[in-house]
Amino acid sequence: MDSIPGKAGGGAFDPVTFLQQPQTILRIVSWLFSIVIFGCIANEGYINRQNEMEQYCIFNRNQNACNYGVFMGSMAFLCCIAFLALDVYFPQISSVKDRKKAVLADIGVSAFWSFMWFVGFCFLANQWQVSKEEDNPLREGGDAARAAITFSFFSIFTWVCFSFIYYYFGQLRNKNCQMLVWTDKPSWGLPISSFDLLCFVFIVVFAFYILKEEACTGCSGS
């Protein structure tokens, strides 16, 4: 079957239904995380000593660490926008082969970003851990550096969720009906509204960040 009956031309775009889809929520969360990472490093990720004019990366004066974070944040930002546009356009695709290619591309890209954010988290965390206190005696940009590391960590799981959702959905469709494999993207009713789920995600992230800040403060105070 090369096309889906009744799917050509799609239907009217429903923003409420679109925002309730799990991949849309995860896409928006990943998009926001990339903004935070990019903004933290670009704005406060470069410092200099009092006797120096040139600014260096706050992560152990390693320019590669800041470049990696800025590049990954900006590219993830653009990637989220591109796949959000694909999610909007997806119902208009009538060809099963094209839909399968779109979903497989989404799985591949999500797996790639999960790996890259894992590498980025380990890289930034390691460079922050070995940073010397004399390089930043005033402790400038510490909150921004920890925020970049924290949201890099959470980005791993948001992108992993994409791969899991599409893989699980594809297996489920394959068991239920061979003719409908990969014809739709995941969309199921949520027990709570998308707004509530989004609020819950940010509360968890914020609580984790606050607890981490208190732990770091306690360690530095002792």
Side-chain angles (χ1 to χ4, degrees), residues 47-117:
I47 58 174
N48 61 293
R49 296 175 180 174
Q50 295 181 349
N51 58 344
E52 295 179 341
M53 294 297 296
E54 185 177 358
Q55 291 185 330
Y56 292 92
C57 179
I58 194 173
F59 295 99
N60 196 33
R61 298 169 70 90
N62 187 345
Q63 298 296 107
N64 292 328
C66 286
N67 292 337
Y68 186 92
V70 170
F71 176 77
M72 292 296 293
S74 58
M75 292 304 297
F77 172 83
L78 296 175
C79 186
C80 287
I81 293 179
F83 276 94
L84 272 174
L86 177 61
D87 291 339
V88 173
Y89 178 71
F90 191 84
Q92 308 296 326
I93 302 176
S94 60
S95 172
V96 176
K97 292 182 179 180
D98 292 340
R99 288 190 168 212
K100 182 177 180 179
K101 291 178 181 179
V103 175
L104 290 177
D106 213 336
I107 294 176
V109 170
S110 300
F112 169 78
W113 278 108
S114 301
F115 173 76
M116 296 303 292
W117 280 125

Side-chain angles (χ1 to χ4, degrees), residues 143-154:
D143 292 339
R146 286 187 288 269
I149 295 172
T150 301
F151 285 100
S152 296
F153 175 76
F154 282 112

Side-chain angles (χ1 to χ4, degrees), residues 128 146 209-222:
W128 178 248
R146 286 187 288 269
Y209 184 69
I210 293 298
L211 291 175
K212 184 178 179 182
E213 286 293 310
E214 291 180 355
C216 293
T217 304
C219 293
S220 60
S222 59

